[in-house]
């Protein structure tokens, strides 16, 4: 094995304040789901691949927009929930279930592999 290998990269230890296990997060262009609550050092473990059940709002930049299977889901900092079809955010993943336009629901989302 290469002497400079550090880790596989599927799970990263990142500094992110005040997040809880299960939260979607975005640091720069790195997206993932928090596996551990923020510890005393301000660090969390973030999973960068897989399928998670997450809260998604069925809106895009123009307003209400139904979510279909395969639609790109974006992370928009400051939105609640932060996941929607607003392509002004960072690509987060792909919807594996549907949501009626304007509604917020917990659906399966496959994280985008970057």
């Amino acid at each position: 094995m290469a002497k400079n290998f550090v880790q596989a990269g599927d799970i990263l230890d990142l500094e992110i304040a005040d997040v809880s296990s299960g939260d979607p997060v975005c640091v720069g262009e790195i997206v993932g789901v928090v596996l551990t609550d923020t510890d005393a050092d301000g660090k969390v473990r973030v999973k960068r691949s897989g399928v998670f059940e997450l809260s998604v709002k069925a809106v895009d930049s123009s307003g209400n927009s139904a979510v279909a299977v395969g639609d790109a889901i974006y992370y928009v900092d400051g939105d609640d929930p932060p996941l929607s079809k607003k392509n002004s955010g960072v690509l987060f993943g792909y919807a594996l279930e549907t949501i009626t336009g304007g509604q917020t629901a917990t659906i399966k989302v496959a994280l985008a592999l970057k």
Side-chain angles (χ1 to χ4, degrees):
M1 182 178 294
K3 293 178 182 178
N4 58 345
F5 179 80
V6 176
Q7 68 186 69
D10 183 44
I11 297 175
L12 299 176
D13 293 321
L14 299 173
E15 288 188 31
I16 308 173
D18 301 320
V19 294
S20 300
S21 177
D23 288 349
V25 293
C26 180
V27 178
E29 295 286 320
I30 299 170
V31 299
V33 176
V34 177
L35 297 177
T36 59
D37 296 347
T38 303
D39 66 18
D41 295 326
K43 292 191 177 188
V44 296
R45 302 202 79 189
V46 176
K47 178 87 165 131
R48 298 185 57 232
S49 65
V51 176
F52 292 86
E53 290 184 332
L54 299 166
S55 181
V56 176
K57 187 162 186 176
V59 296
D60 62 16
S61 298
S62 299
N64 294 342
S65 179
V67 172
V69 173
D71 280 354
I73 301 297
Y74 297 87
Y75 185 99
V76 179
D77 195 34
D79 280 5
D80 186 25
L83 302 180
S84 68
K85 291 177 53 175
K86 292 181 181 176
N87 62 6
S88 59
V90 175
L91 178 63
F92 188 86
Y94 300 94
L96 298 179
E97 297 180 85
T98 63
I99 307 173
T100 303
Q103 300 298 309
T104 298
T106 298
I107 63 168
K108 292 178 182 135
V109 177
L111 297 183
L113 300 175
K114 293 183 180 184

